[in-house]
Amino acid sequence: MLLGVNNLKTYFYIECGVVKAVDGVSFSLDRGETLAIVGESGSGKSVTALSLLNLISTPPGKILEGEVLLEGENILEFSEKSLQTIRGNKIAMIFQDPTTSLNPVFTIGNQVTETILTHQNISKKEAREKTVKLLKMVGIPNARGRLYDYPHQFSGGMRQRVMIAMALSCEPDILIADEPTTALDVTTQAQILELISGLQKELNSAIILITHDFGIVAGLADRVLVMYAGKAVEYADVDAIYYRPCHPYTLGLMKSVTRLDEPRREKLQSIKGSPPSLIDVPPGCSFHPRCEFAIDVCRKKIPKLIEIEPGHFSACHRVGKGGLEVI
Amino acid sequence: MFRYIAKRLLQVVPVVIGVTLIIFLLMFILPGDPARMLVQKGASPEVLQVIREKYGLNQPWYVQYGKYMWNLLHGDFGTSIRFKRPVLDIIKDYYPNSIRLALVALIIEAVAGIASGIISAVKRHSFLDVLVTISTTILVAMPVFWFAMLLQVSFGLKWDILPISGMGDGSWRYYVLPAIALASVNTAFTARIMRSSMLEVIDCNYIWVARAKGLSERKIILKHALKNALIPVITILGLDLGTLIGSAILTETVFSWPGIGRVIYLAILQRDVPVVMGCTLILVFIFILLNLIVDVSYTYLDPRIRLGDRRAV
């Protein structure tokens, strides 16, 4: 096992209370595997990702408990200095918004080589050559000539390619992609996703893909973790999730994706209501106020994540051995 | 870039015409007769008349102005009515003192202001941050002349480690106290602006990206954050240098510093128009030049700014 996350809890202590952004999340990841973490905005996906790098700003945030095992070692116990040798090197991250992720006052060549020089003991010249190779690899035309260009001279899609080149510059074991295509238009989205999965095969990295879009999960992910209000509500292989979803929330998310291969529906469905404030999470199952299958027990008892078939976990009172009882 | 600088320098011409006109008119509006300032009380009207004619004071203001500008075009700044010596000599005597003092003050301002601003932003809400906030508030609130006297009393009289007046032999020791006094208020402002600018920058996405890249916190602050946060501070520092040169009158008075601030002040009191004009013009040149330097330095700090390019900025 390359990465094991056990019972991770990241809370933020702010004036009006405690935000339980990540509340007991566990998952694991192997080399070459892709895990998709899916959920609405504010479900704790990004905080989960940042916690894996121990990049929570303290205060107000704090990783309360749990472990992040990278090849068996709990990196949450590492010193800041050893963490720096992991960040960008063994675990790299692509951020959501490429327009603000690159420093506007340094050339992109500088920013990519900087990562390489931080982690690898090679000369500046070699690092620059490597950067050219990386930029070529992610499909930036005239890579050598663009080394000395600044971020504002690139389009959004090209900037995200630079970010990907930067993230892959040290051949990381794990690549975290936090909504890598949210800020991009649809055609660019497809190109970037194709690029990521292509490079994954080449480097045999593991990918954690964070998204709110079930549409892009199918083509990329091996396993899916669905998060709601800081908790994992369903965790399974991608096929199981698509064919036998075992949580009303997962079901709702999937219904809200437009599909081209189905006859046109009257109206695109959506999940009623909005995600709860993480300070004031509803008692019992935090999804119950929005759930059409909610019964009494859902309002009182927090459901446990249980294995309903081998490798398929769901946290719902209404789920039995045969899947979601009500469907 | 060269074209841009040439264009900016050409703008000096209208500015000089405007500035000279304003000063000339102001000096005319001010009550008081320059001729009377030159003679003892009770001088006869005939004497005054002679003086007026000698200096051309009896002519209408536009004739005087025209004459002045004509001479200026030939490099002649005129002669001081009071000191009876060429204004250019006065400028040469006093400006270097002022510029040197202002440069030392600027260095103090930049180093102390930027450093304390960074520290209080990075260690936000810590003891150091509170210390910086309190001390900058005190510095801004304190009258400069009083702060200057405090420096004189403590470092000069009580501990006797630094000279408290004049330039002496021009050694660095004479600069320390006046430069600190001169820099005090501006240092506090610089620290405040540096702090808020830094706080804004260290919350930016690219700073988190830099952390996720595995860079050390030191490198993140001193490389990635600093260059971005410096942009507003540079504007202030550039313009401050002009103010430090021209408006140091309180400091110059307390420390008996032979600077241009006092010269201009006294010349205004004595209606010594050529001196006021000459010294102010030089100050205007300095300001224009500093503005230009600030604008050019932006292009090095922020590549998104391209001078003379309408698309950018």
Side-chain angles (χ1 to χ4, degrees), chain B residues 94-105 175 241 244-245 257 260 282 286:
Chain B
Y94 290 96
Y95 253 105
N97 298 340
S98 278
I99 292 174
R100 262 184 242 131
L101 183 64
L103 281 174
V104 178
Y175 283 86
L241 183 59
L244 291 174
I245 295 170
W257 191 266
I260 206 72
I282 298 293
I286 290 174

Side-chain angles (χ1 to χ4, degrees), chain B residues 7 101 194 294 302:
Chain B
K7 224 162 94 187
L101 183 64
M194 189 68 214
V294 166
D302 190 344

Side-chain angles (χ1 to χ4, degrees), chain A residues 45-67:
Chain A
K45 304 170 307 235
S46 296
V47 178
T48 306
L50 289 171
S51 301
L52 298 185
L53 290 166
N54 205 345
L55 267 183
I56 301 297
S57 58
T58 321
K62 188 167 193 261
I63 299 179
L64 216 62
E65 54 176 273
E67 40 189 15

